[in-house]
Amino acid sequence: MSSESNEPIEVRKNAALDRFELLVDGQVAGLAAYQDTANERAFVHTEIYPQFEGQGYGRKLVQAALDATRDEGYGIMPLCPMVRHFVESRPAYLALVPLWSRERLGLPQN
């Protein structure tokens, strides 16, 4: 995966720290922290470090983290604002949020 600026980027899961990390040219540029339950992965905090903001890295981090979560068979709980915004604006990802939690979180039901 590469960014518009042609810097090599990578998103990796760091299970030891319960987070996904975005690396830009080998340097950690942001993270998406999570907590797993039996069936869902709750995203509790996502951030892009200041020197990397405004370059679309947040979207790339969240999308990769949610894709990996889906591939692992988890539903998602978008508790942090960045993940919630991403999910609200993309119906394919909203489908990963269990119906019972959509109501609690005030998310669309369909």
Side-chain angles (χ1 to χ4, degrees):
M1 182 186 318
S2 64
S3 70
E4 292 78 11
S5 63
N6 294 323
E7 293 177 280
I9 69 166
E10 172 190 0
V11 176
R12 68 178 178 203
K13 182 179 175 186
N14 184 335
L17 296 176
D18 292 331
R19 69 187 197 182
F20 288 89
E21 297 170 333
L22 171 76
L23 287 87
V24 176
D25 205 18
Q27 180 180 358
V28 177
L31 61 95
Y34 62 84
Q35 296 174 349
D36 286 344
T37 67
N39 300 311
E40 286 87 35
R41 175 167 289 153
F43 285 89
V44 296
H45 177 73
T46 305
E47 72 177 283
I48 299 298
Y49 300 142
Q51 65 269 36
F52 298 100
E53 290 178 347
Q55 300 176 57
Y57 293 133
R59 180 188 56 77
K60 292 175 192 242
L61 170 60
V62 171
Q63 183 172 353
L66 296 184
D67 288 347
T69 297
R70 178 193 57 225
D71 293 348
E72 291 178 46
Y74 285 97
I76 60 168
M77 302 286 293
L79 302 180
C80 85
M82 188 182 296
V83 175
R84 181 185 173 112
H85 175 73
F86 185 92
V87 166
E88 284 179 315
S89 60
R90 292 164 179 86
Y93 290 94
L94 182 62
L96 298 174
V97 180
L99 283 173
W100 65 267
S101 68
R102 290 184 206 172
E103 183 177 344
R104 289 183 184 176
L105 296 171
L107 293 169
Q109 298 298 304
N110 49 5

